[in-house]
């Protein structure tokens, strides 16, 4: 049995990055439901993120989205974060919300649009230089809606060219994280639809390019933990965008739809040495109908619980059962860890970190929710596209 | 072989209803791309719809969406349609775009919200009385995002109660068309997720309640033509919302993703006697990246082509092969019709109807596209939510 | 909070029916891997089933499959069961393994084949009379592989006719359980592909016809607990065929692929009053690579654990949160029960029932596995088709 | 417009490889339906394959499956083929039908089983030396059924080691074609589940290793033509296993489920220069309910029709529309080719090749079906596993 103390130590050093945009309003194509108290500025998003870190102790960084989080002075923004115990994390580019991008960005048939898109990506690296962020996270909405609309292969050529230029701009301590997604907003082809495509591009780019696994971006039936294990084996797992889904890219709270899957993913992370390495554990979620800060607290806790269970797997017993072909025995070892209620353990961890054992209750008592509702009046709430 | 003249006659009397909202802007949750010349009023939507009917001859009705098409004087709106050779078709309700509907409408836990939603549905029947529309089309975005969020069964009770009240308000020549959808915008449960649920409710309501099949609203792998055949057999197929999809509810042009499936669906319609009966053939599409009026022209033509092929199936030969268990022979009879290029036949049909044989080219030559771009300046373009 | 004693009482009276065929060899179309000690006769299957009941205390009945379990004297078979503390459960028909059934059974285009199939179903009712079984479980492999192969609607007519004849033969205390399945072995249409089709037929047949939910028989993304809730609301849930799957009808051990889904299903059973009623909880699994009796023990225990968690849901707190639209609060109540480690509770339940708290270990110690390997030599092992 | 003569020339030189096993009996896990006249020996399979080539003119090679087609004298088998106008094609290995392979073959935890599997693969290369086959086609049933059953990553290491040994054994003119498959017979993990995994292994092995795309082996919603375009761009598309499916790996006749998809795939082949290159066009189908030789004739013709349509795409017009972002125009160019009835063109092609324009009718008239039913009496029919 893995020593309890070691498990606790690992849990105390875990870091989950929360995304600035999850604090803002979001929705579906049918409706964005506005919530009271939602931030109006990047600074207010950081203020909320600081609460998540304050009550969980394991959410020390915040991902930015450009241009949604554009400010005049990124160094000042970084200081705003530091003053609240946070650091700025990955910079996420946006090449899907300008009218020019109707038919794509870096894969667009028109060189002028591609130029504009690449310039934006280069600008994101400039921002990383200013904020000290090490990760450029790229997700492209590029694709087509109809067969014949554009040339699948030519779009790959354009993509490769754009990525190469941006890769060349990266500093020594910076890396490029390339995300894939099966579909949406493109409904026929997507230019980076699966891990194989992202991997092939990253391989050609070099060691600073790695793949991001968004847990909601796969075809039905895809075994995500297999991809995680494979990318770790190849040294190409850059990080996660965590969320959960029952259908498509639903962007629900991580662990809400299939906690057993999340556990299996985290087990492969632990088994592949990814927990303490350079793998970035990021959330990418939309809290459409639920309160945002509590939902993010809960999401961070869900990642903790899955990690705790993964750390509790008796790997010696598992290996022994696997080597002898004991199917039920090996499965039982894994399920034993999953069936364990790790919430008492996590309460201990928090207390040892000087935190309240129950982050949800502590946040509720803190008055922050009431305070932001009262104070954040007027101005324009942040949301998708703002 | 079905007589060519009979096929032509059937094609000349076919009617496809176009939706007012398809003439407006639409998009995904990531971005709505505005197009030039898009209508700003319900009247301008009808003007565009009139062009589709003018060039195809088989799109005589237009579905309304309330409140997007709310006007002070519906009789005047109906006359605006009639002056352009059109009639107003189904009235579509909207119980998903008010803030009150965050947790549902007719299934909401709060009786006050349910009351508001039912009142809106009753108002839609009032509008039908004014416009002469016979069909009330109901799609509910109701559902939940998280396990436990609400009581699945209690929501069914609330749904049944609301439907019963609205059903009771229908006039003698009016009917209720109940649409189902697997998911989106709700991501855990949807309150009318499949044809079985819609059917069960319609059965209890009575003969004026029927099911609508939206071709994009099913789980992967669902055999839609089976549902069509079954609902026709039960006398419960009220109509279609046509569109096509590769993934989820993509709302692409009907026939664009799987023309063979559309043909199989239309074959079941023909075989089940649904072509000349009361089944409503409606489009429900989003033209996010393509020109809207040409896309709708193309969609209407795609329905025509599939129908023509379905009518060309040699049903005697098919039946003979089926009865003797000749698997390949029966399949060959069906494929023979599908493999036929029916475009020459449809050109003849159009010429016999006094139309240009090529609606796309005729529309392009008509100058309408240039005219609306020039004239529709200022004001607010119609779009989802407006 | 639901009283612990009441939870225990419910768990002690739970009954899971194991299928005779799960004790025999099974496999995929690629290979059936034979295991040592597998039963050679219906009696030996009952002997194994008796062990499952002996160690779990909640598996008192065994489902038969005809003709696989055909014997000359069913009364003697019933006594063989009784002598071991068991009863004979549902009788499962087989209309898919004769050469005549290549193109279907009760839906076959040839009336002679349909007659043969119906006669077999009537024979199954005869057997029920002899064994005292109350449930006739019908699963039809009927369907087509190619578009056009047969007439979808005519097959429904034939199905309805066959079911009506068999329904008429049922005794007062007997019922018909109709199972649905998306696909396999038919690959284009299946004649009872979804719950809606099964429901529509059962509704017309009458109160003695009910639907069986096999948890592996749905399209990807289907919300099974919604179907369970709906069928219970309609009084049409006859029972379950439990198993689990990652892809299609994988027939893995129940609870192995998505334990959270199983919990949600059992919660709807509890909430809908289905736990203590007439709903039959049956396993239908294939243990292709794992040891059979231990796999069935484990499966029964998985059902128990999911049931225990479902019973532990604080329904008052849940209802309160649901009524006030507290999305995260309601979800948290549900997850609190799911996160609980119920294994200690179940150990207590077993001890109070006079059983070993660890059925897997107790079975391993019992020597039964070694005994059957030693004794069951020669003869033909039972398996699919035998 | 592509010149008609060039299209015809390309169609005349097309080559589709038929699989020896498709001439034998096949089925599902539920039942294998035997057909009269089915071959009993590899030689009789070749006799049937010769008929397919005789009537289509484009099926000159036959894939072997070892051990199903094991003979003492492969040179004699090759002569048997040559005497009938055929050549022996790819050699397909089988590491899934021995009891030893219950938990895998080249990925098995036991080194002795892996040794046995690799030895079999090496034996296949020996057979290739004897038959003159250039392609070793590898499909592994390897995987696991339960989480924890084996170590995902360790299995990749074992796989890589086995492939490397076999790769080293290949002659200068031989290559290894690695197939991937989402699931079945393994139901939790599959060791080569997607094109990315196959690609990653092939990349490391070297230029003689390429990926095989089986059109039925993907997750729902996967865009297969994207994979085809990508693999061609990477120089890693070794060939196809053609078949079609509505649900999973249904192995229906190619083009039977989604002829538009097959056309899109063939368009990418043509566009990527794969038609006249080294890409192998193989069938891999199961004719469970339909007559086998006619089904294969039909399948070959379906590939021809899709190819003809792909060749007819006006690539200049398509490129022009794509470059200007004319979504509907570009789609229309593609659909114009798809809507064309190419059967008259193919009849011409056949007549110019000295063949009957209607292969199905010509075969039916030939008396071969009656002859094999009469003559192939006694002995054991070939089938999966034999």
């Amino acid at each position: 049995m893995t020593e309890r103390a070691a498990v606790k130590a690992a849990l105390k050093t875990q870091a989950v990055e929360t995304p600035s945009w999850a604090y803002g309003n979001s929705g579906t194509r049918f409706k964005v439901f506005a919530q009271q108290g939602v931030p109006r500025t990047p600074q207010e998003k950081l203020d909320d993120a600081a609460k998540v870190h304050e009550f969980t102790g394991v959410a020390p960084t915040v991902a930015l989205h450009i241009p949604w989080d554009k400010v005049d002075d990124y160094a000042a923004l970084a200081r705003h974060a530091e003053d609240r115990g946070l650091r700025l994390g990955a910079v996420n580019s946006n090449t899907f919300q300008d009218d020019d991008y109707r038919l794509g960005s870096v894969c667009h048939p028109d060189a002028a649009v591609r130029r504009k898109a690449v310039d934006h990506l280069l600008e994101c690296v400039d921002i990383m230089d200013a904020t000290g962020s090490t990760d450029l996270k790229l997700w492209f909405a590029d694709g087509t809606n109809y067969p014949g609309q554009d040339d699948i292969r030519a779009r790959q050529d354009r993509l490769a060219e754009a990525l190469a230029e941006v890769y060349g701009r990266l500093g020594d301590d910076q890396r490029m994280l390339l995300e894939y997604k099966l579909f949406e907003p493109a409904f026929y082809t997507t230019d980076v639809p699966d891990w194989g495509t992202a991997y092939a591009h990253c391989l050609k780019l070099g060691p600073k390019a790695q793949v991001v696994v968004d847990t909601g971006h796969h075809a039905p039936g895809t075994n995500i933990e297999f991809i995680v294990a494979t990318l770790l084996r190849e040294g190409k797992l850059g990080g996660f965008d965590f969320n959960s889904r029952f259908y498509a890219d639903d962007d629900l709270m991580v662990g809400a739809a299939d906690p057993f899957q999340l556990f299996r993913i985290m087990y492969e992370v632990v088994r592949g040495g990814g927990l303490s390495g350079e793998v970035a554990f990021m959330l990418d979620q939309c809290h459409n109908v639920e309160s945002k800060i509590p939902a993010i607290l809960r999401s961070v806790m869900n990642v903790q619980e899955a990690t705790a269970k993964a750390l509790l797997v008796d790997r010696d017993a598992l290996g022994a059962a696997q080597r002898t072909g004991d199917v039920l025995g090996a499965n039982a070892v894994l399920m034993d860890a999953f069936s364990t209620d790790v919430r008492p353990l996590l309460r201990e961890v928090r207390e040892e970190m000087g935190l309240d054992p129950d982050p949800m209750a502590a946040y509720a008592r803190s008055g922050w929710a009431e305070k932001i509702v009262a104070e954040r009046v007027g101005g324009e709430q942040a949301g998708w596209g703002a």
Side-chain angles (χ1 to χ4, degrees), chain A:
Chain A
M1 165 93 185
T2 314
E3 207 177 75
R4 192 173 176 90
V7 170
K8 282 187 183 175
L11 291 168
K12 286 172 190 169
T13 57
Q14 188 172 23
V16 178
E17 181 161 311
T18 71
S20 70
W21 56 96
Y23 298 96
N25 286 317
S26 63
T28 69
R29 60 174 167 149
F30 296 101
K31 170 72 175 173
V32 172
F33 293 102
Q35 294 189 11
Q36 286 186 298
V38 154
R40 298 159 299 177
T41 63
Q43 289 77 8
E44 288 184 352
K45 295 180 201 171
L46 291 174
D47 296 345
D48 287 357
K51 291 290 152 184
V52 173
H53 186 47
E54 176 184 334
F55 291 108
T56 64
V58 294
T61 59
V62 181
L64 299 183
H65 191 115
I66 304 299
W68 301 343
D69 294 321
K70 234 172 173 168
V71 291
D72 290 332
D73 185 343
Y74 288 98
L77 190 70
R79 280 193 306 275
H80 188 96
E82 279 156 35
D83 291 346
R84 283 149 189 80
L86 298 175
R87 292 191 313 280
L88 300 182
V91 170
N92 290 257
S93 60
N94 179 323
T95 55
F96 53 89
Q97 285 193 318
D98 278 7
D99 281 326
D100 284 339
Y101 298 139
R102 187 172 54 93
L103 302 180
S105 64
V106 293
C107 303
H108 197 286
D110 184 339
V113 177
R114 297 201 297 275
R115 185 69 254 154
K116 171 178 171 169
V118 172
D119 285 344
H120 168 69
L121 303 183
L122 296 174
E123 180 198 8
C124 287
V125 185
D126 293 340
I127 292 171
M128 291 164 66
D129 289 343
T131 59
S133 301
T134 56
D135 292 351
L136 174 65
K137 182 139 67 78
L138 304 179
W139 169 66
F140 297 106
D142 287 59
T144 65
N145 272 7
Y146 291 101
Q149 177 182 326
D150 200 1
D151 190 277
I152 294 173
R153 182 161 165 173
R155 292 177 75 95
Q156 288 296 308
D157 294 336
R158 297 169 201 150
L159 173 64
E161 189 182 341
L163 291 176
E165 181 173 350
V166 177
Y167 189 87
R169 167 67 182 79
L170 293 174
D172 287 344
D173 296 330
Q174 294 174 333
R175 60 180 179 163
M176 171 188 287
L177 301 181
L178 183 57
E179 194 167 335
Y180 58 91
K181 183 176 181 180
L182 181 65
F183 79 99
E184 197 212 21
F187 293 129
Y188 167 52
T189 59
T190 295
D191 292 307
V192 190
D194 54 19
W195 79 265
T197 306
Y199 168 80
H201 280 285
C202 287
L203 208 61
K204 278 171 195 150
L205 288 167
K208 289 189 281 189
Q210 290 184 301
V211 179
V212 169
V213 175
D214 183 304
T215 47
H217 285 190
H218 303 85
T222 302
N223 185 319
I224 300 175
E225 58 268 31
F226 179 91
I227 297 172
V228 170
T230 298
L231 286 172
L232 276 169
R233 184 175 176 269
E234 301 282 339
K236 281 293 183 193
L237 181 64
F240 289 95
D241 263 11
F242 277 129
N243 51 60
S244 69
R245 65 96 173 258
F246 288 96
Y247 304 96
D249 187 28
D250 307 344
D251 281 335
L252 302 177
M253 298 186 300
V254 58
D258 189 346
F260 183 44
Q261 182 191 57
L262 181 61
F263 160 73
R264 299 192 312 262
I265 289 171
M266 289 310 302
Y267 173 72
E268 291 304 327
V269 168
V270 168
R271 184 261 178 259
L275 194 59
S276 52
E278 59 184 2
V279 177
F281 298 92
M282 301 173 281
L283 302 182
D284 183 10
Q285 307 179 156
C286 293
H287 308 294
N288 300 342
V289 303
E290 70 271 23
S291 301
K292 294 172 196 303
I293 298 174
I296 299 171
L297 285 168
R298 177 75 196 227
S299 302
V300 171
M301 292 167 70
N302 284 352
V303 174
Q304 286 183 294
E305 291 180 20
T307 307
K309 291 181 179 193
L311 289 165
L312 286 174
V313 172
D314 184 342
R315 290 178 60 189
D316 290 340
L318 183 63
Q322 289 174 340
R323 279 187 298 275
T324 56
D326 179 3
V327 175
L328 292 172
N331 177 246
V333 171
L334 199 78
M335 296 311 293
D336 184 45
F338 180 70
S339 298
T340 302
D341 189 342
V342 294
R343 294 174 301 173
L345 175 71
L346 283 162
R347 281 193 285 267
E348 278 180 44
V349 165
R350 288 185 197 110
E351 285 176 334
E352 293 174 12
M353 293 171 75
L355 301 172
D356 190 292
D358 184 343
M360 299 290 283
Y363 172 76
R365 282 193 311 268
S366 74
W368 183 257
E370 294 75 12
K371 176 181 158 73
I372 58 179
V373 167
E375 294 183 356
R376 292 177 185 169
V377 175
E380 197 179 349
Q381 287 186 315
W384 282 46

